[in-house]
Amino acid sequence: MSLSLGKLKLDGKCHVMGILNVTPDSFYDGGQHFDPDDARKRIEEMIEEGVEIIDIGGESTRPGSKPVSAEEELERVVPAIEFIRSISDVPISIDTQKPEVARKAVQAGACAVNDVGGLRNPEMIGAVAEMNVPVIIMHMQGTPENMQKDPHYDDTVPDIRNWLEERIKVAETAGIGRSKVIVDPGIGFGKNLRHNLEILGGLDRFKNMAGGVLLGASRKSFIGFLTGADDGDRLTGSLVAAMMGATAGVDLVRVHDVKETRKAIDAINALN
C-alpha cells in the first residue's frame, strides 16, 4: 500500500516538493519570503507551477545557524499554512525539529512532519505517533551549528543507512509504522563534497527502507564546489541532481525551483 501525503500518493514516480522558507536567514532564499505578502505570492506561484507538496520551514538550518524559539517559529509558519489551506488542497509538510511546532502546524492544516533532527527528540517521536501523520526522517551528523566541522564517516552510505534504520526502529517502537516514514539521507547536513557525491551515487540503496525516499539537493554548496557557481546560479546543477534522484527511484525531490524541476521530472517519469 502506497504512502499518502494528503492527496499525494507515492506511486513509484518522482514527485516535486516545493520549499517555502519563511525565514530571514536561510542559505538561498532567506528573507525573500519572510514578509507575509511575499510568502503568499510565492505560494500562489508554486501552485501555478505544479508543486505537488509544499514544505514550510520557519527556522534556518544552514551551516552555522542558530535555533529560534517555538513561538517565533509558529508566528512564521502558521499564517502561511492557513493561507495555503484557504486557497488550495495542495499537501503541506512542516519542516521543524520542535514537537510543539509540529502539533500546531498539523492542527493548522499540514499533513506531514519533516524533521531534520531525525526523530532524535523523544517528544517529537511522541507527537508524530499521537498525530498519526507521515514523517520524514533526515540524517544529520551533529547540529546545524557544528555539522560542517570536519564530518567523518567510515563508509558513507552504509553508515547513513544504518543510522536511519536505527531511527526507524525507534519510531516503530513508539507506534510509528515503517510505512509512514520517508527517509532523507541529508545532502549537505554534516557531509563534505565527497560524502555528498557518494550519497548521490548510492541513492538506490535507500529504497525499500521505509515508505519512501526524499532527496534535498537544491542549490546546495556541493553544486558550487563542482561548478564554481554561487547559490544564485545553481539551477542547472540542481536539476541534474533531481534527475539523478528520479532515475535512482527517489519518491520526492525537495526544490526551490518548482517550475523548471517539474518539467524535468515529468520528462523523467514519462521516460521511465
Side-chain angles (χ1 to χ4, degrees), residues 142-197:
T143 68
E145 281 190 82
N146 62 29
M147 63 189 179
Q148 291 308 108
K149 296 178 180 176
D150 195 28
H152 171 78
Y153 299 88
D154 293 326
D155 195 350
T156 306
V157 171
D159 286 0
I160 294 170
R161 199 180 188 285
N162 290 340
W163 187 93
L164 288 167
E165 179 62 33
E166 185 268 334
R167 299 318 304 158
I168 293 169
K169 287 178 178 176
V170 170
E172 286 184 304
T173 300
I176 302 168
R178 183 176 290 259
S179 63
K180 279 192 169 290
V181 173
I182 296 169
V183 295
D184 176 356
I187 292 276
F189 283 82
K191 284 93 177 173
N192 61 28
L193 175 60
R194 179 174 60 83
H195 301 146
N196 290 323
L197 296 179

Side-chain angles (χ1 to χ4, degrees), residues 85-264:
R85 277 293 149 267
S86 73
I87 64 169
S88 173
D89 62 352
V90 65
I92 302 165
S93 57
I94 177 64
D95 177 358
T96 187
Q97 299 182 72
K98 299 182 181 71
E100 57 267 53
V101 174
R103 288 181 187 278
K104 291 185 179 179
V106 169
Q107 289 172 5
C111 67
V113 175
N114 181 9
D115 182 11
V116 300
L119 288 189
R120 286 180 287 185
N121 182 345
E123 292 183 14
M124 180 66 95
I125 297 172
V128 171
E130 181 183 318
M131 293 186 293
N132 192 31
V133 295
V135 62
I136 300 163
I137 298 179
M138 192 195 77
H139 176 275
M140 173 168 52
Q141 193 173 90
T143 68
E145 281 190 82
N146 62 29
M147 63 189 179
Q148 291 308 108
K149 296 178 180 176
D150 195 28
H152 171 78
Y153 299 88
D154 293 326
D155 195 350
T156 306
V157 171
D159 286 0
I160 294 170
R161 199 180 188 285
N162 290 340
W163 187 93
L164 288 167
E165 179 62 33
E166 185 268 334
R167 299 318 304 158
I168 293 169
K169 287 178 178 176
V170 170
E172 286 184 304
T173 300
I176 302 168
R178 183 176 290 259
S179 63
K180 279 192 169 290
V181 173
I182 296 169
V183 295
D184 176 356
I187 292 276
F189 283 82
K191 284 93 177 173
N192 61 28
L193 175 60
R194 179 174 60 83
H195 301 146
N196 290 323
L197 296 179
E198 288 173 348
I199 291 168
L200 284 173
L203 284 171
D204 60 326
R205 296 170 68 184
F206 296 98
K207 288 184 64 176
N208 304 318
M209 287 189 71
V213 181
L214 181 147
L215 174 66
S218 177
R219 300 274 176 174
K220 289 188 174 174
S221 60
F222 82 95
I223 296 169
F225 294 143
L226 289 173
T227 65
D230 63 24
D231 57 15
D233 191 29
R234 294 177 187 164
L235 173 59
T236 303
S238 299
L239 291 174
V240 170
M243 288 188 286
M244 284 184 70
T247 302
V250 306
D251 300 275
L252 292 159
V253 287
R254 182 178 179 274
V255 302
H256 299 89
D257 305 284
V258 171
K259 181 179 179 180
E260 297 86 350
T261 308
R262 182 65 198 267
K263 289 179 179 178

Side-chain angles (χ1 to χ4, degrees), residues 11-76:
D11 53 6
K13 296 179 181 178
C14 187
H15 299 277
V16 176
M17 171 186 278
I19 299 168
L20 183 72
N21 289 319
V22 281
T23 61
D25 54 350
S26 291
F27 83 93
Y28 169 59
D29 56 356
Q32 290 184 26
H33 311 123
F34 189 50
D35 180 86
D37 288 338
D38 293 334
R40 288 191 286 268
K41 180 180 177 182
R42 181 59 188 145
I43 288 164
E44 291 172 338
E45 286 175 350
M46 284 197 286
I47 292 170
E48 289 176 8
E49 291 169 354
V51 74
E52 294 174 275
I53 178 170
I54 297 176
D55 190 48
I56 298 181
E59 178 181 76
S60 174
T61 52
R62 78 189 194 288
S65 62
K66 307 280 189 190
V68 301
S69 69
E71 292 75 18
E72 188 171 357
E73 198 173 332
L74 283 165
E75 287 175 5
R76 296 174 179 182

